[in-house]
Amino acid sequence: MPFSSSQETMPQTSVVFSSILGPSHSGQVQPGMGERGSGASSSGELVFQEGRLISGSLEALMEHLVPTVDYYPDRTYIFTFLLSSRVFIPPHDLLARVGQICLEQRQQLETPGSEKAKLKSFSAKIVQLLKEWTEAFPYDFQDEKAMAELKAITHRVTLCDEHLHCPLPSQENGTVKKAIAQMTQSLLLSLAARSQLQELREKLRSPAMDKGSVLKAKPPATQKDILGVCCDPLVLAQQLTHIELERVSSIHPEDLMQIVSHMDSRDKHRCRGDLTKTYSLEAYDNWFNCLSMLVATEVCRVVKKKHRTRMLEFFIDVARECFNIGNFNSMMAIISGMNLSPVARLKKTWSKVKTAKFDVLEHHMDPSSNFCNYRTALQGATQRSQMANSSREKIVIPVFNLFVKDIYFLHKIHTNHLPNGHVNFKKFWEISRQIHEFMTWTQVECPFEKDKKIQNYLLTAPIYSEEALFIASFESEGPENHMEKDSWKTLRTTLLNRA
C-alpha cells in the first residue's frame, strides 16, 4: 500500500556541511586583497582559511571581483559572487560599483611614464569579466539600468583604448573593440531568445481540469486513456524525461537565487526578488503537480477493477524506469499521484496489485532520515553522470521540491553575515556549488527520440480536480466508514448545487 504523505519531513542540510560552516577560529585575515596587487583598495578585509575565501566585507568582495594588471579572479569566484551578491545589492548597482572601481584603477595606471601595454591588458581583462558576466547571467541585463551601466563601462573602455595609440599591430589594437561587439551581440541574442520563450509560455495553458460530468456516467470504454497512447513503460519514462529536460532547461541560476532573495527580509540592502524570475520555478513545480494529478485521474477514471489494477501496475513500472534513467522528479510525481487519497483508498484494487516493485520505489523515496535513501540514489546517479560515456548515462533530474527545500534550509540555518559584519561567504560557496551542479544537470541533451503523440497526451489530457477524483474513487469503491460516507454525501451535494 502507498505510504502517507504526512510522513514527509523537511530536508535538512547535511551534517558534513554543517561542520564546514561551523564557527572557526583558524581563519587567516588578509587585509586589502594583497594577491590582487598594489592597486587594490584596503577598504575591507578578506578572510581565508586553508587558502579558501570564507568571509569578507561586501566592499572587499566587490573589489576582489575586479581584475588588475597582474590579477584576474578565479572563474568559480566570479560565478559565486555574481550569483550571491544579488542577495545584498541589485545587479545594476553592483555593475555601477564595478565600473567605478575599474575607473579608479585605470586612473592609477594612467600616470606619467606608465606602460601603455599594461593599460591595454587591463582593458582586455575588464572586457573579459563583463563577457563572463553576460554569459553566466545574461538576464541581469533585461533591466534597463543594468544595460545602461554595461554600455557606460564598455564605452569608457573603448574610448580609453582608442586614445592609447599603443604601437601594437593593427589587429591587436582592435581586439578590445571587437570583443565588446561580440559580447554585446551574444547578449542581445540571449535576451531575444528569452523574450520569445516568455511569449510562448503565455500562450500555453495548463491541462484542462475536468470538474464536471463525473457525476454522470463513467467515461465510455472507447475514450482514450494513457494505455491507449503508450503501453510501454520505458517509452513513457523516456517521454517524461524529454518533458522534464525541456522544462528544467528554462530555469537559470538567478531564478534559483530568488529562493534566497525572497526569504531574506532582515538585510536592509538585500536585492528585492523579481517576481517575473520565479515563473520558471513555478511552472516546473506545476508540471510536477499536473503529472501527479494525471496519474490519479488515469487510475480513478477506469471503470473495471481489473483495468484499474493494470493501470496501477503500469505506472509502477513507469516510475521504476524513470528511476533507472535518473529521472527522480517524474518518479516522485508518479508515486505522489498513487499516494493521493482518492487512489490510496482503493483497497480492493490495491489488493490485486503486485506491490513488490512499488515497495522498492517507496523504499527509495522513504522520507525518513531526511530522504536518506533517495539521496544515496541521487549520489549514485551523479557519479554515473560524471563518468558517463553516453548521454543516457549523464541524465540526472533531481526531485525539484527537495532541491528547493535544501537551498531553503541552507539559507535559514546559516546567517548571511558573521558577528563582525562580514558576508558569510562559506554559506554562499555551498549554495553556489549546489546550484552550479543543478545547472550542469539541466544542460544534458535528451538522447531519446521525441514522440509528439505521447507528449501531447501527457501535456494536454484533461485531469480531474481533487473533488472529481474523490467522487470517481467513491464510485469505483464505495465509502467504507462514516467519515467517507459524509465526505461522499457532501461532495455530491456540492457539485450538484454548483451545476
Side-chain angles (χ1 to χ4, degrees):
M1 290 292 292
F3 62 73
S4 170
S5 60
S6 63
Q7 294 177 358
E8 180 177 338
T9 56
M10 298 289 273
Q12 303 292 322
T13 306
S14 68
V15 176
V16 175
F17 185 57
S18 295
S19 65
I20 294 174
L21 287 186
S24 172
H25 302 286
S26 60
Q28 178 183 359
V29 179
Q30 299 188 2
M33 296 153 287
E35 76 276 4
R36 295 181 69 253
S38 59
S41 167
S42 59
S43 60
E45 292 179 338
L46 296 180
V47 178
F48 291 78
Q49 187 178 47
E50 298 178 355
R52 188 173 181 81
L53 176 60
I54 61 171
S55 72
S57 67
L58 182 60
E59 180 64 22
L61 292 169
M62 287 191 288
E63 291 177 350
H64 196 57
L65 177 70
V66 179
T68 67
V69 171
D70 303 313
Y71 162 79
Y72 191 81
D74 183 80
R75 292 195 69 183
T76 56
Y77 177 76
I78 294 174
F79 179 84
T80 300
F81 182 70
L82 290 178
L83 180 65
S84 58
S85 63
R86 64 199 66 231
V87 174
F88 309 101
I89 181 172
H92 65 85
D93 284 344
L94 174 61
L95 193 56
R97 181 64 187 124
V98 166
Q100 185 180 0
I101 296 172
C102 290
L103 183 61
E104 292 169 357
Q105 292 214 34
R106 181 117 198 167
Q107 289 172 345
Q108 291 178 14
L109 290 171
E110 290 175 336
T111 56
S114 61
E115 297 181 31
K116 292 183 178 181
K118 287 187 175 181
L119 288 170
K120 295 280 289 185
S121 173
F122 178 68
S123 294
K125 288 180 178 179
I126 295 303
V127 174
Q128 178 62 26
L129 175 65
L130 295 175
K131 180 175 180 289
E132 292 198 38
W133 189 337
T134 57
E135 288 177 349
F137 305 98
Y139 310 118
D140 284 350
F141 300 91
Q142 282 185 311
D143 181 2
E144 293 181 359
K145 293 179 181 178
M147 185 61 84
E149 291 292 346
L150 178 65
K151 290 179 179 178
I153 295 173
T154 54
H155 180 66
R156 286 198 298 267
V157 170
T158 301
L159 285 179
C160 292
D161 192 60
E162 289 175 348
H163 292 160
L164 282 176
H165 300 295
C166 190
L168 294 173
S170 58
Q171 64 268 26
E172 292 190 30
N173 272 331
T175 299
V176 170
K177 190 172 183 179
K178 182 179 179 181
I180 291 174
Q182 291 175 340
M183 175 192 71
T184 304
Q185 182 180 17
S186 296
L187 175 59
L188 293 176
L189 288 173
S190 295
L191 294 178
R194 174 136 179 175
S195 178
Q196 291 175 358
L197 182 60
Q198 287 175 337
E199 291 176 3
L200 179 61
R201 285 172 180 164
E202 291 175 0
K203 295 178 181 179
L204 296 176
R205 296 181 180 178
S206 299
M209 298 291 285
D210 188 354
K211 298 183 179 181
S213 71
V214 73
L215 281 173
K216 302 175 183 178
K218 282 291 190 73
T222 55
Q223 185 168 329
K224 188 182 297 184
D225 61 16
I226 187 65
L227 288 173
V229 178
C230 178
C231 60
D232 186 334
L234 175 58
V235 172
L236 189 63
Q238 291 175 345
Q239 296 310 305
L240 286 170
T241 302
H242 247 297
I243 295 172
E244 292 278 355
L245 289 173
E246 286 178 1
R247 301 218 164 193
V248 79
S249 66
S250 66
I251 296 175
H252 304 280
E254 60 269 33
D255 299 333
L256 294 168
M257 206 62 191
Q258 295 297 312
I259 299 167
V260 174
S261 298
H262 280 306
M263 287 185 294
D264 194 354
S265 59
R266 291 176 295 178
D267 194 324
K268 294 179 182 179
H269 303 290
R270 73 183 181 94
C271 173
R272 293 183 179 273
D274 182 356
L275 294 177
T276 61
K277 290 183 179 178
T278 63
Y279 181 90
S280 295
L281 306 183
E282 293 168 0
Y284 191 47
D285 188 54
N286 287 339
W287 153 247
F288 179 97
N289 296 331
C290 285
L291 179 55
S292 294
M293 294 294 283
L294 176 62
V295 169
T297 299
E298 292 290 326
V299 174
C300 290
R301 70 198 285 255
V302 177
V303 178
K304 295 183 179 180
K305 181 171 63 177
K306 180 180 179 181
H307 293 163
R308 282 198 304 276
T309 300
R310 183 189 174 200
M311 187 68 75
L312 280 171
E313 291 180 340
F314 174 72
F315 276 119
I316 291 170
D317 286 339
V318 173
R320 187 180 64 165
E321 293 295 350
C322 286
F323 177 84
N324 293 335
I325 289 171
N327 181 359
F328 299 106
N329 201 56
S330 288
M331 173 190 173
M332 180 64 103
I334 292 170
I335 294 175
S336 298
M338 290 188 285
N339 277 306
L340 289 175
S341 296
V343 179
R345 64 167 298 278
L346 298 172
K347 295 180 181 179
K348 295 178 182 178
T349 304
W350 278 102
S351 68
K352 301 296 182 180
V353 174
K354 298 175 183 178
T355 58
K357 296 176 184 176
F358 191 70
D359 293 340
V360 173
L361 295 176
E362 285 191 318
H363 173 74
H364 287 308
M365 292 300 170
D366 183 356
S368 62
S369 301
N370 189 25
F371 289 87
C372 178
N373 296 338
Y374 158 70
R375 295 183 189 281
T376 300
L378 179 64
Q379 184 179 14
T382 302
Q383 292 173 349
R384 180 187 67 183
S385 177
Q386 292 170 346
M387 302 173 65
N389 295 318
S390 67
S391 297
R392 290 180 179 234
E393 296 175 330
K394 290 182 180 179
I395 297 172
V396 181
I397 306 174
V399 178
F400 187 62
N401 60 8
L402 291 183
F403 173 79
V404 169
K405 288 176 183 178
D406 284 347
I407 297 296
Y408 171 86
F409 276 100
L410 183 58
H411 174 64
K412 294 298 287 184
I413 290 172
H414 305 288
T415 61
N416 288 345
H417 290 96
L418 301 177
N420 65 356
H422 278 195
V423 173
N424 182 8
F425 210 65
K426 267 188 180 179
K427 165 184 173 175
F428 292 105
W429 274 124
E430 179 59 16
I431 290 177
S432 172
R433 184 194 66 77
Q434 292 192 22
I435 290 178
H436 185 271
E437 184 175 50
F438 180 86
M439 297 310 301
T440 300
W441 295 333
T442 68
Q443 293 165 12
V444 173
E445 185 176 350
C446 189
F448 310 122
E449 186 177 350
K450 187 173 183 177
D451 189 312
K452 293 183 178 179
K453 182 180 178 181
I454 297 175
Q455 289 200 20
N456 182 64
Y457 185 88
L458 290 170
L459 295 171
T460 64
I463 55 178
Y464 285 172
S465 67
E466 186 176 0
E467 290 176 340
L469 282 174
F470 268 111
I471 292 175
S473 177
F474 285 137
E475 286 185 337
S476 295
E477 296 185 19
E480 294 187 346
N481 53 51
H482 291 298
M483 184 177 295
E484 285 192 345
K485 288 178 182 178
D486 290 342
S487 297
W488 173 225
K489 182 179 179 181
T490 301
L491 282 169
R492 287 182 64 89
T493 302
T494 299
L495 290 186
L496 283 171
N497 289 339
R498 189 180 297 165

